[in-house]
Amino acid sequence: MAEETKKTTAEAPCAAEEVVVSDVPVAEKPTTSVVEKEAPPQPEPEKVEKPAAEGEKEKEKDEESKVAESASFKEESNKVDDLIDPEKKALDEFKQLIQEALNKHEFTAPPPPPVAAVKEEKKEEEPKAEEKKEEEEPKPEEEPKTEACEAPTEVPPPPPAAEPTKEEAEEKKVEEKSAPPPAAEQSETLIDKIRATVEAAEEIKETIVHEVTAPAPPPCEEPAAAPAEEEKPTEEETEKAPPPPPEEVSIWGIPLLADERSDVILLKFLRARDFKVKEALTMLKSVVAWRKEFKIEELLEEEIIGEGLEKVVYIHGVDKEQHPVCYNAFGEFQDKELYSNTFADAEKRAKFLKYYIQFLEKNIRKLDFSPDGICTIVQITDLKNSPGLILFKKELRQATNQALQLLQDNYPEFVAKQVFINVPWWYVAYNRMISPFLTQRTKSKFVFAGPTRTTETLFKYIAPEQVPVQYGGLSKAGEQEFTTADPAIEEIIKPACKHTIELPITEVGTLVWEVRVAGWDVSYGAEFVPSAEGGYTWIVQKSRKIGPTDEQVICCSFKNGETGKVVLTFDNQTSKKKKLLYRFKTKSSE
């Protein structure tokens, strides 16, 4: 058996980190392959017909591939000076459009009606307009009334004689032969015309008198002006009146266009829409409308009691880049009572959604939206003990899909990394089901780790002292000898090998240490070796084998009266390498 001894000082560096990184399945490779698939070479005919357009498309695809790769490898900067020229222009244009929308009060204006409804309203208005025109125009029957009103004393001219028919013409010829003298004929005709004229005048007078006595005003009088028209301001008054001030819109507690923090928020919307300004503006208006409809500001003041949900969703520690880490443990829903209290009916599911949105909003308000600050979080989704694909509960699936959709639509670019741990075999199929709901940029941030690689995957992004003990780390609830401020040291125990660590004691006092081996299944012991020659070695902890289900973290202390060292021995008889974590400190005696 090989033996390996290592002396450790208080300033020992973190070792073997590169091994952890190389063993973890990285999400960048699938992202690169996706980008390559999305940018195939254009066919030759298009090159011949539209060479300029094709060149622009290739440039756009190259930029998109850069965005996808940067999302996988490194988070983009929020400093305006670090943006490339097209992104700067897009931000300036975005801010200009937002200012115009604020001036026009477009964020608070009601949404426009559907196109179909507008068309129907126009169709209904058209016949009404025609009816009004017909009412305004005088009817042909009323024309003689108007003339009578203007000159009632004048006798109307006799109606023109109709053209005689053939029979009347023949009778006329017979009458002409036996006709009386022309003078008598003229006198009789004149008397008949006068009588007809007098009768017509009397009828007109009766009509006029009837209309005058009626309560309605005569048609010849001009209608009085409507009071609404008199109250309307003149054009000069309209020009002199000052325009309404721009509306004020805040999102996540930060007013739009107020300062550089607002630029950080606007960049989130632009990146979510690949710097397409009009689409980003549409998304921003939609988010503002949703927040008003959901009553976010009122929701923050509510006291929503979710019994047991604090074990399902919680913030714990930060990652290596100081992003807050949010854990989602779906395995807790194996508790039938908790599941029933959360998803039994639509009302309870809505309450869970409100609880989750409130939890998210409160933690977003704690982020630093300055260009140099941290304004994203890391999501850890634990799928341990989650129901299988066949037994996957419908209510949980509906709530999960609804939450994912709300997060993607209304919280753009708030997740720096999405890590799925303890991923079961069936989750690959489920992930394909929810993939259509997610953008390519969102999926490029996903990292998957099975049960055997969960701990080392977390250690790639989060320091061991920040990882909860249930996930292989050293962070425990309550008061402990060590906190997250005390960094841990990582080492690798080789297969079929003894590994020793020396903890120096340079002053009289109490030495405190804690150790953990991922998966254990190794033998562990500790002894004190004094620095003075001829001194006796003391056994601090007897060597014993620790199984995978035994203690997660071993804590021990040794009060010494002389200088020396404590030697920790780890005997790994398995054929697998093991991850070792430890940290120590000396407490001076009072």
Side-chain angles (χ1 to χ4, degrees):
M1 180 183 299
E3 241 181 63
E4 182 176 323
T5 305
K6 189 160 189 175
K7 294 184 180 180
T8 307
T9 62
E11 300 177 354
C14 180
E17 184 176 353
E18 294 181 0
V19 179
V20 178
V21 174
S22 63
D23 290 342
V24 178
V26 184
E28 289 80 359
K29 291 182 180 179
T31 304
T32 308
S33 62
V34 170
V35 173
E36 290 174 357
K37 289 179 182 178
E38 288 181 355
Q42 300 292 334
E44 292 182 0
E46 291 186 3
K47 288 184 179 179
V48 176
E49 293 175 6
K50 300 178 181 179
E54 184 194 356
E56 293 177 359
K57 289 181 180 179
E58 289 180 356
K59 288 181 181 179
E60 291 177 1
K61 289 182 179 180
D62 290 340
E63 291 177 2
E64 289 177 2
S65 64
K66 288 179 181 178
V67 170
E69 289 176 2
S70 62
S72 299
F73 291 96
K74 187 178 180 181
E75 192 174 5
E76 297 95 336
S77 172
N78 287 318
K79 295 181 180 179
V80 177
D81 294 338
D82 294 341
L83 302 176
I84 60 178
D85 289 339
E87 295 176 348
K88 288 181 181 178
K89 291 179 181 178
L91 179 60
D92 293 337
E93 183 182 351
F94 193 27
K95 292 167 73 173
Q96 184 178 357
L97 291 179
I98 292 174
Q99 186 61 64
E100 293 176 0
L102 292 173
N103 294 338
K104 297 177 182 178
H105 291 245
E106 294 181 0
F107 286 98
T108 55
V115 179
V118 173
K119 290 182 179 177
E120 290 178 2
E121 289 178 3
K122 288 183 178 178
K123 288 181 180 178
E124 292 177 359
E125 289 175 358
E126 287 175 1
K128 290 181 181 178
E130 292 177 359
E131 291 175 4
K132 288 182 180 178
K133 288 181 180 178
E134 290 177 359
E135 291 176 0
E136 291 174 0
E137 294 177 359
K139 296 182 180 179
E141 296 176 358
E142 297 175 355
E143 288 179 0
K145 295 179 183 179
T146 308
E147 290 175 2
C149 183
E150 292 175 355
T153 57
E154 293 182 4
V155 179
E163 295 182 1
T165 60
K166 291 181 179 180
E167 296 176 356
E168 291 176 347
E170 290 176 358
E171 291 176 0
K172 202 170 187 181
K173 289 179 182 179
V174 174
E175 289 175 358
E176 284 177 357
K177 291 179 181 180
S178 61
E185 181 183 352
Q186 290 178 2
S187 61
E188 288 178 2
T189 306
L190 183 58
I191 291 169
D192 293 336
K193 289 182 178 179
I194 291 171
R195 287 176 181 174
T197 304
V198 171
E199 291 175 359
E202 288 177 356
E203 291 178 0
I204 292 171
K205 286 180 181 179
E206 290 175 2
T207 307
I208 293 171
V209 171
H210 178 71
E211 289 181 355
V212 171
T213 55
C220 58
E221 295 182 5
E222 294 183 1
E229 294 180 358
E230 294 178 358
E231 295 177 359
K232 286 184 179 179
T234 61
E235 294 181 0
E236 294 180 358
E237 292 176 353
T238 306
E239 291 177 358
K240 291 179 181 179
E247 61 180 333
E248 296 182 1
V249 177
S250 296
I251 186 167
W252 298 300
I254 298 174
L256 291 179
L257 306 182
D259 50 29
E260 58 185 5
R261 296 179 303 163
S262 177
D263 291 348
V264 174
I265 291 178
L266 299 187
L267 283 173
K268 290 180 179 294
F269 286 91
L270 286 171
R271 285 175 175 138
R273 292 296 178 262
D274 296 327
F275 283 90
K276 296 175 182 176
V277 179
K278 292 184 178 179
E279 293 184 12
L281 180 62
T282 302
M283 183 184 188
L284 176 60
K285 289 181 178 179
S286 175
V287 170
V288 173
W290 174 81
R291 293 176 69 82
K292 290 180 180 178
E293 180 183 356
F294 209 82
K295 300 179 181 179
I296 294 296
E297 298 302 324
E298 298 177 13
L299 180 64
L300 289 172
E301 303 299 327
E302 289 185 27
E303 292 185 7
I304 303 176
I305 301 174
E307 297 180 359
L309 292 179
E310 66 279 357
K311 299 178 182 178
V312 179
V313 184
Y314 57 92
I315 297 287
H316 188 100
V318 296
D319 72 343
K320 292 180 179 179
E321 296 178 357
Q322 302 306 305
H323 297 98
V325 182
C326 177
Y327 290 86
N328 303 273
F330 291 147
E332 296 293 333
F333 287 123
Q334 288 288 339
D335 185 343
K336 293 182 179 179
E337 184 178 356
L338 176 61
Y339 185 91
S340 177
N341 292 337
T342 309
F343 303 113
D345 52 43
E347 184 179 352
K348 291 180 179 179
R349 290 195 294 272
K351 181 181 177 182
F352 167 74
L353 195 62
K354 289 179 67 176
Y355 174 86
Y356 188 81
I357 294 298
Q358 184 192 61
F359 166 83
L360 191 61
E361 282 284 334
K362 287 183 177 179
N363 285 282
I364 285 177
R365 302 292 176 112
K366 298 176 182 178
L367 297 175
D368 181 8
F369 284 96
S370 63
D372 294 326
I374 301 297
C375 59
T376 53
I377 63 176
V378 172
Q379 286 267 14
I380 307 296
T381 301
D382 181 15
L383 299 175
K384 186 178 181 181
N385 296 328
S386 294
L389 182 61
I390 299 175
L391 301 176
F392 200 72
K393 302 291 182 69
K394 181 181 70 173
E395 297 83 4
L396 177 59
R397 184 176 69 250
Q398 289 176 348
T400 303
N401 290 343
Q402 189 177 5
L404 282 174
Q405 194 65 49
L406 280 178
L407 291 176
Q408 180 167 265
D409 293 344
N410 301 290
Y411 295 90
E413 299 300 313
F414 273 100
V415 176
K417 188 71 65 179
Q418 176 73 65
V419 184
F420 295 88
I421 59 175
N422 292 314
V423 177
W425 61 270
W426 55 264
Y427 193 77
V428 177
Y430 175 69
N431 185 55
R432 289 175 184 171
M433 291 169 56
I434 65 173
S435 289
F437 297 98
L438 307 172
T439 63
Q440 180 58 40
R441 183 179 175 86
T442 299
K443 289 185 285 188
S444 69
K445 300 178 182 181
F446 285 3
V447 176
F448 298 90
T452 58
R453 294 202 170 189
T454 287
T455 301
E456 58 181 328
T457 300
L458 290 178
F459 288 169
K460 177 183 177 182
Y461 304 105
I462 309 170
E465 61 271 13
Q466 298 282 352
V467 177
V469 289
Q470 62 266 33
Y471 297 123
L474 300 175
S475 180
K476 293 180 289 186
E479 294 184 3
Q480 305 292 333
E481 287 287 350
F482 295 92
T483 65
T484 55
D486 300 311
I489 302 171
E490 302 177 48
E491 291 188 9
I492 297 295
I493 303 175
K494 295 179 181 179
C497 179
K498 267 188 179 180
H499 188 88
T500 59
I501 296 173
E502 296 180 357
L503 308 180
I505 299 175
T506 56
E507 59 182 352
V508 176
T510 303
L511 179 68
V512 183
W513 70 91
E514 65 178 9
V515 295
R516 179 170 191 171
V517 177
W520 281 105
D521 200 18
V522 299
S523 297
Y524 161 75
E527 59 183 10
F528 169 72
V529 179
S531 55
E533 293 183 4
Y536 293 98
T537 300
W538 297 359
I539 296 176
V540 179
Q541 288 178 313
K542 279 187 176 183
S543 180
R544 62 188 179 95
K545 188 170 184 178
I546 303 174
T549 58
D550 293 336
E551 298 176 71
Q552 296 173 331
V553 180
I554 295 178
C555 298
C556 191
S557 61
F558 175 70
K559 188 174 182 179
N560 59 295
E562 55 182 326
T563 60
K565 60 183 178 181
V566 172
V567 180
L568 309 180
T569 304
F570 302 88
D571 188 0
N572 180 20
Q573 296 297 322
T574 67
S575 58
K576 297 179 181 180
K577 62 182 179 181
K578 302 286 184 178
K579 168 77 71 173
L580 168 64
L581 306 173
Y582 69 95
R583 52 185 174 177
F584 66 97
K585 60 183 177 181
T586 302
K587 298 168 66 176
S588 58
S589 57
E590 297 178 358

